[in-house]
Amino acid sequence: MSSIADNVGTVTRRIQKATMDAGRKPGSVKLLAVSKTRPASDLREAHSAGQNAFGENYLQEALEKIDALADLPDLEWHFIGPIQSNKTRQIAEAFHWVHSVDRLKIARRLSEQRPDSLPPLNLCLQVNINEEDSKSGCVLAELPDLARECLALPNIRLRGLMAIPDPDQPEADLRASFDRLADALAALRRDNPGSDDLDTLSMGMSADLELAIEAGATWVRVGTAVFGARD
Ligand SMILES: *Cc1c(COP(=O)(O)O)cnc(C)c1O
């Protein structure tokens, strides 16, 4: 079994190669290590290999790790799980990024509850790109209005879009799903002049990060390939 530190190196090289193969600028794709269900010691090991951005899905679990790792000065915490409105205050207080906002009510609360002492909260809108019944995310048709309203909120900084495409579809359909998210971001940039902050596509996981990078991903969210299989 390879160590977490080795895995960080392996995944980083996969990202570098895919970035180069896609003809994209070196360093334009970042690794978000998805650490749900993992103990703080695993994150510490990843950090020792140079990883500083971590994605968490469950608030209580995340807050415990944020506390346990408070001695590491350069950590960046990303919330990537479904958000209930009674959890927004703690998210607004403890995280640097939120990838999983899919309705205005949540974005408004995060903006209102973001402490004045912190920079605006980086935010991605989650899109249910394959319109699956079981998945969170807005549908593409809702995106223009939702994005426009989010851009007007003072304490969040709308950065882009996130999606979790159906992993069971054929590769050509998966590729088309990533392309649709990229096209949707391009449309938002076009329709909202001056929104230079819209630079983020959070898409691609352990199994499909190369395809996502080819389609324009800027954050790939990788759990299993960094930390091993989850129980
Ligand atoms: C768990 C999870 C991931 C990571 O998935 P892997 O297949 O383990 O790489 C990425 N994004 C989200 C939103 C997740 O919940």
Side-chain angles (χ1 to χ4, degrees):
M1 230 181 68
S2 52
S3 72
I4 292 168
D6 291 342
N7 292 344
V8 169
T10 304
V11 173
T12 300
R13 283 189 295 277
R14 274 177 70 187
I15 292 170
Q16 285 167 348
K17 179 170 189 312
T19 304
M20 205 164 69
D21 290 349
R24 296 182 51 198
K25 198 164 132 249
S28 57
V29 184
K30 287 175 289 186
L31 170 59
L32 182 61
V34 175
S35 42
K36 61 182 173 218
T37 77
R38 300 294 170 179
S41 55
D42 282 9
L43 284 73
R44 209 174 268 284
E45 185 180 344
H47 180 264
S48 73
Q51 182 61 30
N52 75 329
F54 294 96
E56 290 281 342
N57 296 58
Y58 312 108
L59 181 60
Q60 216 45 50
E61 180 194 327
L63 293 175
E64 284 166 26
K65 284 180 243 184
I66 292 171
D67 198 39
L69 298 170
D71 59 305
L72 302 177
D74 62 337
L75 294 190
E76 190 177 273
W77 293 100
H78 296 236
F79 194 80
I80 63 171
I83 305 174
Q84 298 161 283
S85 52
N86 63 348
K87 301 287 169 62
T88 51
R89 181 175 300 280
Q90 285 168 299
I91 293 172
E93 288 173 354
F95 285 81
H96 302 86
W97 282 75
V98 180
H99 294 227
S100 44
V101 173
D102 61 3
R103 53 198 196 279
L104 183 60
K105 178 183 175 191
I106 297 294
R108 278 205 181 115
R109 289 176 66 94
L110 289 169
S111 181
E112 280 163 15
Q113 294 167 343
R114 181 68 167 172
D116 289 334
S117 57
L118 297 177
L121 180 62
N122 294 293
L123 190 140
C124 292
L125 294 172
Q126 182 174 353
V127 179
N128 185 354
I129 198 75
N130 297 120
E131 306 203 0
E132 296 168 272
D133 290 339
S134 58
K135 282 243 175 90
S136 319
C138 66
V139 295
L140 282 173
E142 296 171 315
L143 208 46
D145 285 347
L146 183 55
R148 194 166 25 75
E149 291 175 295
C150 287
L151 284 166
L153 294 172
N155 297 327
I156 63 175
R157 182 176 170 205
L158 184 64
R159 298 296 297 270
L161 303 177
M162 181 274 237
I164 313 170
D166 176 3
D168 296 327
Q169 56 191 331
E171 184 173 305
D173 295 347
L174 191 54
R175 187 185 294 272
S177 303
F178 289 137
D179 285 341
R180 272 205 305 286
L181 197 71
D183 290 347
L185 182 69
L188 290 183
R189 291 172 61 98
R190 201 170 53 234
D191 296 345
N192 295 279
S195 53
D196 299 334
D197 285 351
L198 287 172
D199 58 4
T200 299
L201 281 171
S202 168
M203 59 186 193
M205 316 202 296
S206 295
D208 56 17
L209 66 89
E210 283 84 3
L211 269 187
I213 289 171
E214 202 184 324
T218 62
W219 279 112
V220 288
R221 306 179 313 270
V222 181
T224 313
V226 170
F227 295 107
R230 289 180 293 275
D231 301 331

